[in-house]
Amino acid sequence: MLHRLTHRQLECFRAVIETGTVTAAANLLNTSQPSVSRMIAELEHAAGFALFSRVGRKIVPTTEAIALHEEVERSFVGLSEIARVIEDIRDFRTGSLTIAGMPALALKFLPDVMTEFIAAEPGVTVSLRARSSKAVLQHLGSQQFDLGFASIDADHPGVSRRPIRIDSMRAVLPPGHEMAEKSRLAPDDFHDRPFVALGQEIVTRSETDAFLAAAGARPRIVAEAQLSASICELVAGGVGLAIVEPVTAAIFARAGRVISRPLIPEQPFRYDLLTPTTRAPSRPATRFLEFVEARFTALLEP
């Protein structure tokens, strides 16, 4: 008979114990008095013993009912805790998010996004790791992170990759440079001028070299660096001109550290979003991406 126990029966039983009357229990549960009485009768039948006795107009729980109530209460406390956890997850009051990002985004762009996200969703813990684009792909492939941001043409069977933003490479100049009068810079504007280049191992370096060589431009390379931020620091110090990806150029230009100008012809640069193929993005991850896209728009669009 015990297999006929239902959650509704126990819910009615608990309500009668706590309110002291069937009528009050029915009001608490937003149901009818006959319905509560029927649930109690079915529970008594399934249990094989009486749960309440009548004393005048009142009903009094039996000793067996009091013992049962202790166990039922523990179960309901557990359910309440589960409900609280569900609400916390639904309302972003709890959770975690692990992110791997290429340095061009992880040094400033993603921390700025995290600041806005944490202010809006303070219950979610966010962890950020700066990695090369190749390493970001590997980490996502081993399911170590929820989101990855890179610029890479390679694929991995455990990773979904899609462009999250495509923009144009930028020329960066020291403040007050004579070339700042131009609205756009062409390859010949770099010819025989001091130039800060990306390291030879960086894929974008070969693309920049091809952009300049196509017009016969040969700048004088006076320094090399792996990171766009390092290059912009050198440009800000007056070392030379450079060509870098758009996010870092925009960040330094907005800070007044460099002058940024578009290139002609345009040289596209793609930022990729990487996610594990084994699971859909979590609700915090989806929410974080909303902040990422808004930040791209605010930074790169006039």
Side-chain angles (χ1 to χ4, degrees):
M1 297 294 290
L2 290 177
H3 70 277
R4 297 182 183 177
L5 283 174
T6 68
H7 182 271
R8 186 61 172 173
Q9 291 169 358
L10 296 175
E11 187 177 40
C12 290
F13 167 71
R14 180 172 180 258
V16 172
I17 289 280
E18 293 181 351
T19 63
T21 69
V22 173
T23 301
N27 291 334
L28 178 65
L29 298 175
N30 195 29
T31 188
S32 67
Q33 182 178 340
S35 177
V36 173
S37 297
R38 185 175 68 256
M39 290 294 105
I40 296 299
E42 290 178 358
L43 179 57
E44 288 181 323
H45 182 65
F49 52 78
L51 296 171
F52 298 95
S53 59
R54 286 194 173 276
V55 179
R57 294 185 176 181
K58 296 182 178 180
I59 60 171
V60 179
T62 63
T63 301
E64 292 81 1
I66 292 172
L68 176 61
H69 179 256
E70 292 178 0
E71 294 302 320
V72 169
E73 190 62 23
R74 275 194 283 270
S75 297
F76 271 81
V77 168
L79 288 173
S80 297
E81 180 63 17
I82 292 171
R84 184 193 64 77
V85 171
I86 290 172
E87 290 176 353
D88 286 347
I89 294 171
R90 181 193 65 206
D91 299 332
F92 298 103
R93 292 197 295 264
T94 188
S96 63
L97 191 57
T98 54
I99 300 168
M102 60 188 289
L105 297 180
L107 295 181
K108 174 66 174 170
F109 179 89
L110 287 173
D112 286 346
V113 174
M114 288 168 63
T115 300
E116 296 175 352
F117 177 80
I118 291 169
E121 312 295 351
V124 180
T125 302
V126 187
S127 176
L128 172 65
R129 297 290 184 272
R131 298 288 189 268
S132 68
S133 288
K134 182 178 180 181
V136 171
L137 180 66
Q138 292 171 343
H139 285 314
L140 267 293
S142 60
Q143 316 301 307
Q144 295 182 43
F145 292 85
D146 299 305
L147 297 173
F149 298 91
S151 179
I152 191 168
D153 289 326
D155 286 311
H156 187 287
V159 179
S160 295
R161 176 172 62 92
R162 69 171 176 85
I164 192 171
R165 182 79 187 196
I166 298 176
D167 214 283
S168 299
M169 298 282 286
R170 299 290 201 277
V172 287
L173 305 79
H177 195 278
E178 60 183 13
M179 300 290 286
E181 296 180 357
K182 294 195 170 189
S183 60
R184 295 174 179 271
L185 267 64
D188 57 5
D189 291 319
F190 297 91
H191 182 69
D192 201 32
R193 292 184 180 273
F195 190 79
V196 183
L198 281 165
Q200 292 281 357
E201 72 279 11
I202 309 299
V203 174
T204 309
R205 167 65 183 270
S206 60
E207 297 172 352
T208 300
D209 288 348
F211 166 76
L212 296 168
R218 297 182 62 186
R220 289 185 289 111
I221 297 176
V222 295
E224 290 185 352
Q226 285 185 314
L227 305 181
S228 296
S230 300
I231 290 173
C232 285
E233 290 287 358
L234 290 166
V235 171
V239 172
L241 311 180
I243 297 173
V244 298
E245 43 79 27
V247 163
T248 304
I251 289 171
F252 273 78
R254 289 197 175 201
R257 306 287 311 286
V258 302
I259 295 170
S260 175
R261 292 289 182 266
L263 297 171
I264 181 170
E266 291 187 349
Q267 300 297 300
F269 187 90
R270 188 189 71 243
Y271 300 95
D272 294 318
L273 169 65
L274 280 58
T275 55
T277 57
T278 55
R279 62 183 186 273
S282 64
R283 294 180 73 251
T286 301
R287 178 78 167 130
F288 187 84
L289 289 175
E290 294 176 4
F291 283 83
V292 169
E293 291 173 351
R295 189 71 179 172
F296 270 125
T297 299
L299 188 63
L300 298 180
E301 295 184 8

